Each structure stands twice: as C-alpha cells, then as structure tokens.
Amino acid sequence: MGGQNIKKDLSNCSAMLQELGQIVTKPVRIMIVCGTHTRAILRYNLRDFIPENLQLVSGPGCAVCVMPAGHVDAFVKVASQPDVITAACEDLIRVPGSHDSLASMKRKGAHVELISTPMEALKLAIDKPDKIVVYPAVGFEATAPSIAETILEAASLGIDNFCVIPSIRLLPPTLDTLMCDPELSLQGLLCSDHINSVIDSDAYAQLARKHHLACSIVGFELADILHGLINLVKQFNAGTTEVDMSNSTKFSSEESARAARLVSEVFFAVDTDWRGLGTVEESGFVIRDELSLYDATKRFKIRFSEGVEPCMCQCDKVIAGLKLPTDCPAFGMACTAQSPIGPCMISAEGVCASYFRYNMDSMKTTL
Ligand code: SF4
C-alpha cells in the first residue's frame, strides 16, 4: 500500500482517531491477537496517532510462528520418504526445524511443491497417482473447514494417495492459558473475524467473563480496527466484559453450521504443543480414526517430538506478548527479512517481519 493511500485512510478515519484520543483517560492494555491486525497497525504507524495510555501488545495469532520446531521435523521426515510429494505454502517451507526445513529438503532433492490451498494438494494427488501427496495442514480454527472438506472430498472420490499432517491450532484455549499470566495484565482482546466462521462467539464470551476482559471481533480495514479499539476502551471505561461483533463479517447460520459439521466429521481436539506456550489442553485438531487413511502421522508412523528451536531466537517470548522483536539481539542484525532466523521473521504474519518492514524507527514500548 502506497504512502498516499495510507494518508487517505488515516484522513478518512480522523473522527475515529479523535474519539479514541478523547475516551482513553487511564492506562489500558489490549492484546492484538491476529498477526494481520498487527501488520496493519504497524503499516499505518498507528502508535503515532493513538494516546500513549493505550498500549497494544501483539499476540499468538500467526499459525506458522506458533508451530514448534518438532512439527517441522515431522514434515521433514515425511518429505524424505520415497515417492512422497510434500505440498505446502511458501511461508511454511522456509521455517526451520531442528536441522532442516522443507526448503532445505527440496534443495537436497526432496519433492516439495508450493501450493496455496488444500484442494490444490488434492488435485496434485489426482494428477500424480504414482506418488503420495502429503499436505502439512498448518493454521488456526478458521482453516479447519477447508481442510476437512478436502479430506472428505478425497474420501468420496476414493483417492488413496493423499494425506494430511494435522497441525491446526485453536486460539480460545491458548488465549485462556495466556490470560492467566499476571505479567500480561490485559484489559481487552482485539480478534479477527476469521474466527466467526467456525467458533461461535460463546468461546470468546466465556474467555471475556472468566478474565474480566472486553473483546472485539473485527475485520482488517483501518476503520474496522479503530472501531474495535474504540469499543474495547468504551467497555473498559464502563466495566463491561462483552464480545462485540457489530463490525465483523457476518456469516449465515447455514454457513456456520456447515463449517462446524465438516470440522466435527473429520477432527477432534487434543492437547497440543505451541512454540513458547508449551502444551495447551485441547488446543489442536487431529483426524478421526475413521479417516486414518488421510492421516499422514498414522500412515508414516510419525510422532511430534520436542524439536530444537533456532539458537538466539526469542520468538517464544514474542509470541507470548512478553518481548518485543526489538528486544531480540538478533533483530535487524543477524535476523532480517532477507536472512530470517525464526518463524516470526519468516512468516508474513510474524510480528518480527511486520516490525522489520514497517516503521522500525518509531517503535515504542509496545506493538
Ligand atoms: S528477530 Fe529473528 S531471531 Fe529474534 S525473535 Fe524475531 S525471528 Fe527470532
């Protein structure tokens, strides 16, 4: 987005910025859960336009970043098997495991294809019947319906050379764990409306009540983000702990019900490891036994190990909102967008990548 467009958007939102300036009367800390929201806030350099008392803390909402090295090790192990094609998105193939990434395996001769959607991986399997196409499914709950749909499509077509390594994580249980950390001391959560399609707002309503938090679920435009921040500050001032969805994308009840049905037909929740956050109860999906043909962990008999994280990297603390990228000694020195070390610099949704790309000079004490 060019400088002119940024100025125009900021000018169009000047009344909202002014309102924010008036209603922030005491310190308030808000977690920006989603990596795309963090990137937008940095792109607009919002810190220069909002009151100092409004502190924004980045959260764990980058799916590639929160995946531990041990999961990449599993992807690498499967990619090294004969007759396997690994079909993965670009961000993912660059993330390092304990020793290798999918990109380094590709350089060593493994067959790794870049794709954007799970259906593309299934199409590859149909086109290459003499190979097994493996799709490492990395994402949050919002990605689960399309992955479930692809697995069910493979089953209905009788395709047996396609399988998935499930590495899908669920944000509400992890946010619940994070909110117990007194060091964070938050008053609000700004969440993306991606979640709308599968998780009903009850999970967030429970979270808000349990931790006395305001919660706002919004889209990705500047006006959406400002709407969310204004709502959160107003809730904080009034002492309410509600989930505001008035400015989020609306999904029909049929769409939501279909998504929920697909997910429950294919997956169930289990305790899952997160980079920097440890094992969180029922925070990830695995594939049901009835569909084990499509579960690469069973087909290739792999288990997720702990893995070794890149040395020097402090992504674990950045993900938990406990450190800024600029607190990491490698930031902008050994670790840059051109030569990234950890997933938070590798992924376009990563906080370090957003910091590096936008407004490094104006970084303050939060976001
Ligand atoms: S700057 Fe690089 S090394 Fe440091 S935490 Fe971020 S990704 Fe990891």
Side-chain angles (χ1 to χ4, degrees):
M1 183 184 287
Q4 286 304 323
N5 287 339
I6 286 179
K7 273 191 191 152
K8 194 170 151 208
D9 288 351
L10 284 165
S11 158
N12 288 342
C13 292
S14 59
M16 294 173 99
L17 287 165
Q18 205 176 356
E19 184 179 0
L20 205 47
Q22 286 162 356
I23 61 175
V24 178
T25 54
K26 52 194 167 185
V28 50
R29 263 166 81 82
I30 286 168
M31 175 170 273
I32 309 299
V33 175
C34 172
T36 310
H37 278 156
T38 295
R39 196 174 56 192
I41 288 169
L42 290 164
R43 184 173 65 229
Y44 285 107
N45 200 13
L46 266 195
R47 286 293 321 164
D48 275 3
F49 300 95
I50 62 176
E52 287 217 349
N53 270 344
L54 176 55
Q55 297 186 342
L56 307 179
V57 181
S58 62
C62 160
V64 167
C65 305
V66 295
M67 178 187 56
H71 281 231
V72 180
D73 293 344
F75 307 156
V76 163
K77 194 169 175 189
V78 174
S80 67
Q81 306 294 312
D83 295 324
V84 162
I85 300 176
T86 301
C89 70
E90 191 170 4
D91 267 5
L92 179 58
I93 74 161
R94 299 166 64 211
V95 177
S98 302
H99 307 289
D100 271 302
S101 63
L102 286 172
S104 66
M105 291 304 291
K106 188 175 161 84
R107 284 193 295 275
K108 290 177 189 174
H111 192 158
V112 178
E113 294 272 348
L114 289 184
I115 48 140
S116 307
T117 66
M119 277 295 178
E120 284 178 46
L122 177 58
K123 185 168 180 314
L124 192 59
I126 294 169
D127 291 345
K128 306 264 185 197
D130 55 333
K131 303 283 182 194
I132 299 173
V133 173
V134 178
Y135 176 69
V138 177
F140 291 121
E141 52 267 31
T143 62
S146 65
I147 297 160
E149 189 170 28
T150 308
I151 291 173
L152 292 173
E153 176 80 356
S156 79
L157 294 173
I159 306 294
D160 62 2
N161 65 323
F162 169 77
C163 54
V164 168
I165 309 180
S167 189
I168 301 166
R169 287 175 174 74
L170 312 175
L171 278 166
T174 300
L175 289 171
D176 184 21
T177 304
L178 260 181
M179 294 311 116
C180 295
D181 184 344
E183 216 184 308
L184 272 176
S185 172
L186 295 168
Q187 284 82 45
L189 293 178
L190 187 81
C191 302
S192 95
D193 62 6
H194 278 157
I195 61 171
N196 247 347
S197 58
V198 270
I199 297 290
D200 71 30
S201 56
D202 279 358
Y204 284 85
Q206 281 173 27
L207 206 56
R209 274 196 302 273
K210 180 175 170 186
H211 298 284
H212 307 289
L213 288 167
C215 184
S216 186
I217 297 175
V218 294
F220 297 104
E221 301 297 326
L222 177 62
D224 299 330
I225 293 169
L226 288 173
H227 171 97
L229 293 177
I230 288 170
N231 173 274
L232 291 170
V233 174
K234 281 184 174 172
Q235 284 205 54
F236 172 60
N237 290 346
T240 56
T241 57
E242 288 162 8
V243 179
D244 171 60
M245 294 174 68
S246 60
N247 207 44
S248 64
T249 309
K250 302 287 179 292
F251 292 89
S252 69
S253 51
E254 289 79 19
E255 282 174 300
S256 297
R258 180 174 178 273
R261 197 174 56 245
L262 286 169
V263 169
S264 67
E265 228 175 292
V266 174
F267 299 117
F268 66 98
V270 294
D271 300 354
T272 299
D273 294 339
W274 294 61
R275 185 189 301 266
L277 306 171
T279 305
V280 181
E281 210 176 311
E282 299 208 343
S283 66
F285 280 146
V286 291
I287 297 171
R288 292 190 178 282
D289 284 346
E290 307 87 274
L291 292 160
S292 58
L293 177 65
Y294 301 99
D295 185 344
T297 62
K298 296 204 173 104
R299 201 154 172 166
F300 293 94
K301 297 187 174 48
I302 49 164
R303 292 172 67 89
F304 296 122
S305 61
E306 202 170 307
V308 181
E309 302 297 341
C311 100
M312 287 201 294
C313 183
Q314 304 196 354
C315 280
D316 53 344
K317 303 277 186 315
V318 172
I319 288 162
L322 298 173
K323 280 202 171 178
L324 294 168
T326 42
D327 294 331
C328 172
F331 179 80
M333 308 292 284
C335 183
T336 64
Q338 294 72 33
S339 177
I341 291 176
C344 292
M345 186 65 90
I346 291 170
S347 171
E349 303 283 298
V351 184
C352 299
S354 295
Y355 260 69
F356 190 79
R357 180 157 181 199
Y358 302 110
N359 309 320
M360 265 175 63
D361 295 341
S362 61
M363 286 306 134
K364 296 186 180 172
T365 53
T366 52
L367 245 187

